[in-house]
Amino acid sequence: VTEELNSASVGTAAPPSRVSAMIFTRDRTVEDVLRGCLENLVPTAEFIKGTVEMAVEQLAQRASPRLLFVDVSGSPEPVARINELAQVCEPGTGVIVLGDTNDIRLYRDLRNAGVVEYFFKPLVGSLITQAVNSALTGFVEQPSSRTSKFVFVIGVRGGVGATTLATSAAWHLAEELQRRVLLLDLDLYAGDAALQLDAVPTHALYEALERTERVDDLFLERALIPVSPRLSLLASLEPIDGSVIPSEASVLSLLEKLMSRYRYVFVDIPAGMVHSVPQMLQLPSICLLVSGATLVSARDVMRWRAILGPNTPERKTLHILNRTGSHGSLPDAEFLRVVGEPPDITIPYDRAIGIASKLGMKELEKCASLQRGLAPLYAMIAGEPARGQRSMIDRLLRRT
Ligand SMILES: Nc1ncnc2c1ncn2[C@@H]1O[C@H](COP(=O)(O)OP(=O)(O)OP(=O)(O)O)[C@@H](O)[C@H]1O
Ligand SMILES: [Mg+2]
């Protein structure tokens, strides 16, 4: 049952395509209270008679509202459901949870999961109005668990398959796991990610990095290249004679603007740029270090591990050994002896991968050898909680 409230728009009107508020509840009284509260605060409100489970299901399929109310009354594991919800809806959505227990631990856990407020029944209209007001004016100040996860992808040297793996993982998370994903290709002169995703690179990324002060919501709306409903791309194809390496401050500033919009931000970092973004690499993140299986690659892995530093609770490097069995590969045992640690992920050399990557993502997604190899990676990326990126970016930007 869906109804819309026809009330006056307030100053914080959402774009027309986006419903301002969605309410999932089966409780008639709750519905009445919320109708009264929202009438003068949001232009559109959609009431759906359903549980938090239904909210998870629906938001995986459609655009998120600015404000989302979910009723967890009777749910045996409300915090787990809210965490699922956080995975499928845009980080910029303000979530208000309604329930039937007055439990301080539940309250704390829900706040830690990133919800704006938790209210138990009977609802007090004035408190809800207050929460809605502050949610509409202060969206970005959500706790860290509602920010993006960063996945940095670095090839130890050219041609080892970094872009192929970055686009495959970003695509899989968006299409199969229904996460909202952005892929940022920092190789401004190659446009490889766009080629693999069958998208047309634009000049906007270059502009965004050159003049960060221009980047606002409107700019991003135009610059983001929609690949699929859940996957967007930021990629340029600048003239080959250019040689601008974006400054770290501009990359951080761009990441900051992207992180309230996407659950996952993948960054394809050309090897030659790594030295100019040392602070970015220290952000809470997963760093995918992609190598080939040759002796040269094995040596490179050791050198890169030294540059990237040891894993911490917030930052983890995963070594993806790609193209095993190709001409010039070391036997597994020999590779392990040189590197000293087994790879986290192994993907065989398969001509079908090379062919599919030229035909686009739909073909790559069908490559069994690639998908089998990447399956544990998908689980690792999707399972890790996001932590602390926002506060760290704030700190770095203030300093730089
Ligand atoms: N496991 C694999 N088996 C066979 N071919 C592969 C495999 N992985 C990647 N390739 C192919 O290798 C080529 C280089 O891949 P890709 O462009 O992803 O590498 P890269 O590390 O991003 O290179 P660059 O340094 O140019 O950015 C592509 O044609 C790709 O299809
Ligand atoms: Mg590449």
Side-chain angles (χ1 to χ4, degrees):
V1 183
T2 305
E3 289 173 39
E4 292 217 331
L5 285 178
N6 294 321
S7 57
S9 157
V10 287
T12 49
S17 58
R18 200 167 172 189
V19 175
S20 318
M22 267 173 104
I23 304 96
F24 288 83
T25 183
R26 291 178 179 285
D27 186 327
R28 194 71 221 194
T29 317
V30 166
E31 205 180 306
D32 289 342
V33 175
L34 290 184
R35 248 178 235 288
C37 296
L38 295 174
E39 206 166 22
N40 296 313
L41 291 176
V42 296
T44 56
E46 192 177 322
F47 284 82
I48 296 167
K49 287 204 190 315
T51 56
V52 61
E53 285 84 3
M54 188 190 272
V56 174
E57 230 168 80
Q58 291 213 1
L59 287 161
Q61 308 296 333
R62 53 182 288 184
S64 306
R66 288 199 63 184
L67 255 186
L68 175 66
F69 290 82
V70 284
D71 191 339
V72 297
S73 306
S75 168
E77 289 180 40
V79 180
R81 296 295 85 74
I82 295 301
N83 278 322
E84 281 169 20
L85 194 63
Q87 294 293 339
V88 294
C89 73
E90 288 163 35
T93 298
V95 179
I96 297 180
V97 180
L98 313 168
D100 48 14
T101 48
N102 177 8
D103 178 349
I104 182 71
R105 271 170 314 178
L106 175 65
Y107 178 79
R108 194 193 51 218
D109 291 349
L110 287 172
R111 289 296 300 250
N112 285 342
V115 312
V116 173
E117 264 305 339
Y118 169 70
F119 293 112
F120 55 91
K121 302 171 195 174
L123 301 182
V124 180
S126 58
L127 292 181
I128 299 211
T129 306
Q130 214 174 23
V132 169
N133 266 325
S134 61
L136 287 175
T137 47
F139 266 108
V140 285
E141 290 310 313
Q142 301 288 329
S144 59
S145 56
R146 297 201 28 78
T147 60
S148 318
K149 288 183 194 174
F150 292 137
V151 182
F152 301 134
V153 188
I154 301 171
V156 295
R157 60 174 62 200
V160 290
T163 302
T164 307
L165 302 183
T167 50
S168 297
W171 173 272
H172 185 91
L173 250 73
E175 295 309 291
E176 299 298 318
L177 304 181
Q178 278 137 14
R179 310 292 205 257
R180 281 167 212 282
V181 183
L182 175 91
L183 175 58
L184 169 61
D185 184 353
L186 285 181
D187 194 338
L188 304 179
Y189 300 95
D192 284 358
L195 194 67
Q196 292 199 355
L197 291 167
D198 205 9
V200 182
T202 67
H203 188 60
L205 172 58
Y206 182 86
E207 261 176 63
L209 293 170
E210 276 285 277
R211 295 166 59 193
T212 42
E213 72 287 351
R214 284 197 48 205
V215 179
D216 55 11
D217 281 349
L218 195 64
F219 182 96
L220 282 176
E221 292 302 337
R222 295 206 196 102
L224 292 163
I225 308 164
V227 174
S228 77
R230 287 182 211 87
L231 175 60
S232 304
L233 173 71
L234 268 178
S236 282
L237 184 57
E238 297 306 318
I240 203 91
D241 55 355
S243 59
V244 173
I245 294 192
S247 76
E248 179 161 44
S250 64
V251 177
L252 286 172
S253 157
L254 180 61
L255 287 181
E256 188 198 26
K257 284 165 185 149
L258 292 168
M259 61 196 288
S260 60
R261 296 173 158 246
Y262 294 93
R263 179 60 45 201
Y264 293 88
V265 175
F266 281 72
V267 189
D268 188 345
I269 311 173
M273 196 177 153
V274 167
H275 288 288
S276 49
V277 289
Q279 295 178 317
M280 180 176 104
L281 290 172
Q282 295 307 315
L283 289 173
S285 58
I286 297 176
C287 181
L288 307 181
L289 183 63
V290 183
S291 82
T294 59
L295 177 61
V296 174
S297 259
R299 290 206 187 110
D300 282 347
V301 172
M302 293 197 312
R303 289 162 55 202
W304 277 100
R305 277 200 182 278
I307 293 171
L308 295 170
N311 289 346
T312 67
E314 286 83 31
R315 249 195 79 256
K316 194 178 284 173
T317 302
L318 298 174
H319 171 209
I320 305 186
L321 172 56
N322 189 24
R323 308 171 72 102
T324 57
S326 63
H327 179 69
S329 289
L330 291 180
D332 289 355
E334 188 61 13
F335 192 89
L336 178 60
R337 198 184 59 74
V338 179
V339 176
E341 285 177 66
D344 298 283
I345 303 284
T346 303
I347 297 162
Y349 176 80
D350 181 354
R351 269 192 64 215
I353 297 177
I355 295 167
S357 75
K358 288 173 190 67
L359 298 173
M361 276 323 299
K362 295 216 166 79
E363 291 306 310
L364 265 180
E365 181 81 1
K366 286 190 231 153
C367 267
S369 54
L370 178 67
Q371 297 307 329
R372 231 187 349 260
L374 286 177
L377 177 71
Y378 300 148
M380 285 178 218
I381 297 177
E384 284 278 316
R387 12 168 151 216
Q389 288 89 340
R390 180 170 297 287
S391 55
M392 187 153 166
I393 277 204
D394 283 350
R395 228 174 37 236
L396 290 174
L397 282 175
R398 271 204 303 275
R399 227 175 50 200
T400 42

